[in-house]
Amino acid sequence: KLKIFWRFLGEMAHIDREESGQDDWLYQFLLNIWKDTPSRWPRALELKTMNESGQQEWKERRMVYNRRKQKLLIAIELHEQYLSIPDREKKERERIERRRPGWTQRMEGVL
């Protein structure tokens, strides 16, 4: 299920990047997907005035954000590789036809 989740996110992020045209599309995408992503990060002076536990919490949030961002970039790259497979649609139709004969004629408008 995790692979499907990241595959789906990679596809959605790829579409969002193509439609957005903004420089901060990735941050906006992460903000929409994960509600615990902060809308703004504290500056260095703000971090210095915080106590140790507050600083540690923001450090962990930043690590989680960076990890999600990295995974999402990998998922986008995998989706782009999937889209660049030569004759991908033809191969998909043939695979569906082998598994379910007659299915491709009924679903011709979808594929």
Side-chain angles (χ1 to χ4, degrees):
K1 290 184 179 184
L2 277 175
K3 286 183 182 181
I4 293 171
F5 172 74
W6 284 105
R7 190 177 299 156
F8 176 73
L9 281 183
E11 182 181 352
M12 292 296 103
H14 177 77
I15 292 169
D16 195 49
R17 180 181 66 183
E18 297 296 318
E19 292 176 353
S20 173
Q22 298 174 353
D23 291 337
D24 67 339
W25 69 270
L26 184 59
Y27 175 72
Q28 294 300 325
F29 183 79
L30 287 170
L31 194 61
N32 287 334
I33 297 298
W34 283 285
K35 302 302 180 195
D36 63 343
T37 303
S39 57
R40 83 180 221 6
W41 296 97
R43 304 219 187 288
L45 289 175
E46 292 176 89
L47 283 172
K48 285 182 182 178
T49 60
M50 290 181 189
N51 61 13
E52 185 67 29
S53 63
Q55 290 176 1
Q56 194 64 28
E57 180 182 337
W58 280 105
K59 181 181 175 183
E60 288 174 9
R61 282 187 180 193
R62 176 61 81 173
M63 286 176 13
V64 168
Y65 171 78
N66 286 333
R67 186 170 43 242
R68 287 175 178 167
K69 186 170 100 174
Q70 249 343 85
K71 283 185 163 185
L72 191 59
L73 290 173
I74 291 170
I76 292 169
E77 185 179 329
L78 289 173
H79 183 69
E80 289 172 348
Q81 289 175 3
Y82 165 75
L83 290 177
S84 68
I85 294 173
D87 299 329
R88 174 183 53 87
E89 292 179 0
K90 179 183 169 194
K91 291 176 183 177
E92 287 175 353
R93 280 193 189 96
E94 290 172 355
R95 181 178 54 83
I96 291 172
E97 189 63 37
R98 278 193 313 266
R99 295 179 92 190
R100 294 186 169 175
W103 185 264
T104 53
Q105 284 79 25
R106 290 186 299 223
M107 301 300 288
E108 195 60 40
V110 177
L111 293 175

